[in-house]
Amino acid sequence: GQSLEQPSEVTAVEGAIVQINCTYQTSGFYGLSWYQQHDGGAPTFLSYNALDGLEETGRFSSFLSRSDSYGYLLLQELQMKDSASYFCAVRYSSASKIIFGSGTRLSIRP
Amino acid sequence: GAVVSQHPSRVICKSGTSVKIECRSLDFQATTMFWYRQFPKQSLMLMATSNEGSKATYEQGVEKDKFLINHASLTLSTLTVTSAHPEDSSFYICSARPYSGANVLTFGAGSRLTVL
């Protein structure tokens, strides 16, 4: 079967840095992506890693280690608007099927 | 950028009726679209893969006669929840690859279905 594990909740302070980890077990692997979802909204794409290493996009960075089946999303200079759920997702088939983790609810306090 | 439009955003219906949800790619052609279902504070569960001009591929445990999917054109896929029951109440989200070979998805805004 396919499974992705990530923490259910994380709390951080405005202006700080937070890391959300994701481990996966899938039948295939084509890449790890991260999505942000605010309450009542649709997921929006944040970052994608197909190869090992760090990808940086503004305040957000994402890391992948395929040998460890592990990745993380790093959020810097946290802002109140970053309070949301964050999902890691793995494309596991050539047909572009993507499976999502259970989501990490990030709460930011002043 | 690639935009996926989903309609309606909210719908309330009586038990036993059918509801149709539309998903359109506005500025690109999508040969494949994906339908997800999400319960409150839970993850997105892939229901089916919608293929233009052919039958949808359903994930294990998803009733194809209950959730009818039609992908009649390169820009439109529809999900019809037939004979809806209160347990079908959920957030339904469609998505598509913004271009051929893309490894990430563009999502519609979602449709919140409430069955009374």
Side-chain angles (χ1 to χ4, degrees):
Chain A
Q2 329 277 10
S3 68
L4 284 78
E5 297 288 334
Q6 57 181 123
S8 59
E9 293 184 15
V10 172
T11 301
V13 178
E14 190 176 14
I17 299 172
V18 72
Q19 178 174 312
I20 300 174
N21 299 319
C22 174
T23 57
Y24 59 88
Q25 282 189 316
T26 54
S27 56
F29 182 84
Y30 289 77
L32 176 72
S33 49
W34 290 90
Y35 292 82
Q36 179 192 61
Q37 185 181 31
H38 286 98
D39 287 344
T44 56
F45 168 74
L46 290 178
S47 187
Y48 171 76
N49 296 72
L51 303 175
D52 292 350
L54 189 69
E55 292 285 340
E56 298 180 72
T57 310
R59 294 188 296 115
F60 297 167
S61 302
S62 58
F63 172 82
L64 173 66
S65 170
R66 288 174 296 170
S67 60
D68 295 323
S69 297
Y70 163 78
Y72 66 72
L73 177 69
L74 190 73
L75 297 85
Q76 303 181 71
E77 300 174 15
L78 287 172
Q79 302 174 10
M80 298 302 292
K81 67 178 182 179
D82 296 330
S83 294
S85 291
Y86 293 83
F87 294 89
C88 60
V90 167
R91 178 189 170 191
Y92 64 93
S93 79
S94 59
S96 293
K97 286 189 175 182
I98 295 178
I99 183 172
F100 285 78
S102 54
T104 298
R105 188 167 187 87
L106 173 62
S107 298
I108 298 171
R109 45 190 177 82
Chain B
V3 177
V4 173
S5 174
Q6 190 172 339
H7 176 81
S9 58
R10 292 179 183 273
V11 57
I12 300 173
C13 69
K14 293 182 178 179
S15 186
T17 61
S18 295
V19 174
K20 180 186 285 188
I21 300 170
E22 293 188 348
C23 180
R24 295 179 183 273
S25 56
L26 296 186
D27 50 1
F28 65 101
Q29 294 182 332
T31 55
T32 303
M33 291 186 177
F34 302 93
W35 287 94
Y36 287 84
R37 180 176 184 176
Q38 186 179 34
F39 290 105
K41 300 189 187 302
Q42 294 190 23
S43 187
L44 291 86
M45 302 300 298
L46 179 64
M47 298 175 65
T49 302
S50 173
N51 305 297
E52 188 269 334
S54 64
K55 291 183 179 180
T57 305
Y58 290 82
E59 295 301 302
Q60 190 173 6
V62 177
E63 301 176 58
K64 60 181 180 181
D65 294 330
K66 174 76 171 176
F67 300 99
L68 299 179
I69 291 173
N70 183 277
H71 196 150
S73 77
L74 286 171
T75 60
L76 174 64
S77 175
T78 61
L79 167 68
T80 301
V81 183
T82 63
S83 187
H85 288 98
E87 57 264 31
D88 298 325
S89 298
S90 189
F91 192 48
Y92 294 88
I93 316 173
C94 69
S95 66
R97 291 189 298 175
Y99 54 87
S100 178
N103 291 298
V104 296
L105 300 175
T106 297
F107 284 86
S111 301
R112 186 162 304 280
L113 170 63
T114 302
V115 184
L116 304 176

